[in-house]
Amino acid sequence: MDSQTASCAGLLKVLSDETRLAVVRLLLEEPRRVGQLSQDLHVEQSLLSHHLKVLREAGLVETQRDGKSVLYSLSPSMRRRARGEAIDLGCCLISFAGR
Amino acid sequence: MDSQTASCAGLLKVLSDETRLAVVRLLLEEPRRVGQLSQDLHVEQSLLSHHLKVLREAGLVETQRDGKSVLYSLSPSMRRRARGEAIDLGCCLISFAGR
DNA sequence: TATTCAGATGAATGGCTGTTCATTTGATTC
DNA sequence: GAATCAAATGAACAGCCATTCATCTGAATA
């Protein structure tokens, strides 16, 4: 059980929350402001903010001031093309290929 | 926030534990008995058994009696080939393509 | 500069979850 | 059938985490 597996589990834990996963999927489409996310997901502002902090600290998302609001986007380094054998969860594929 | 996202988060939660993730990665190679897993991962029998139960109930793994021991293998339906845009966690890729 | 709007932060709380220990079940062997 | 080996189960506990509420920061506008 290498340390790589440990940190990977940690990242999966970040994504294993319904709200955070939904945020990431929305940001996979395009950047959005917090207010938009809050409306789209029907999640109260404060709670969403806490979740966004977790995503930030995990390096999954990045922020950018936009006047009064803040624009969230998926970290560019997180974008990749998948290929190779994977685990099919039905909802998504998890692949370890080439690692 | 659809119910699909909820159940997906649930499955990711199952994989977000270091021990369970390590088990799945080993079973991705080939089926193994509990004793083997326990030795390979340095995880005590009872604890491993609890984790295996979680994996079983999530439908991720299947079991097969083999004399005194039990053979665990990755559920065939979980095996797929990944392709399309994905989120790169460094340790693995998560892809939602075509869903 | 006072007010308002957008978002972040901190403390408090309740529920979930990983771990341990003791016990049990199921299958083999003596 | 008693003893042994492999794995599963249940109860108990402790630490973690999502949620809520109240408050604060920071930027725009009047």
Side-chain angles (χ1 to χ4, degrees), chain A residues 52-99:
Chain A
L52 289 172
K53 183 179 191 176
V54 175
L55 289 171
R56 258 184 283 130
E57 290 179 343
L60 278 162
V61 303
E62 290 179 359
T63 64
Q64 187 182 345
R65 261 277 168 199
D66 175 26
K68 284 184 191 172
S69 42
V70 175
L71 192 66
Y72 273 79
S73 50
L74 192 66
S75 297
S77 62
M78 289 293 159
R79 239 174 247 279
R80 247 359 101 83
R81 296 221 122 229
R83 70 190 122 80
E85 187 166 51
I87 294 172
D88 186 358
L89 296 184
C91 49
C92 67
L93 294 171
I94 300 184
S95 129
F96 299 95
R99 282 157 210 288

Side-chain angles (χ1 to χ4, degrees), chain B residues 7-57:
Chain B
S7 65
C8 184
L11 281 169
L12 289 176
K13 189 162 292 169
V14 170
L15 290 178
S16 74
D17 176 87
E18 183 181 358
T19 300
R20 293 194 292 263
L21 182 60
V23 166
V24 166
R25 295 198 65 173
L26 284 177
L27 296 185
L28 202 48
E29 298 170 7
E30 60 179 357
R32 292 173 205 239
R33 280 167 280 165
V34 178
Q36 289 180 300
L37 291 170
S38 182
Q39 275 191 294
D40 293 351
L41 301 174
H42 305 100
V43 173
E44 190 261 333
Q45 182 269 319
S46 170
L47 176 55
L48 180 58
S49 191
H50 282 297
H51 284 302
L52 289 172
K53 184 178 190 177
V54 175
L55 289 171
R56 257 184 284 133
E57 290 178 345

Side-chain angles (χ1 to χ4, degrees), chain A residues 26-45:
Chain A
L26 284 176
L27 296 185
L28 201 49
E29 297 171 6
E30 60 181 358
R32 290 171 207 241
R33 278 167 282 163
V34 178
Q36 288 180 299
L37 290 170
S38 182
Q39 276 191 293
D40 293 352
L41 301 174
H42 306 98
V43 173
E44 191 260 332
Q45 182 270 319

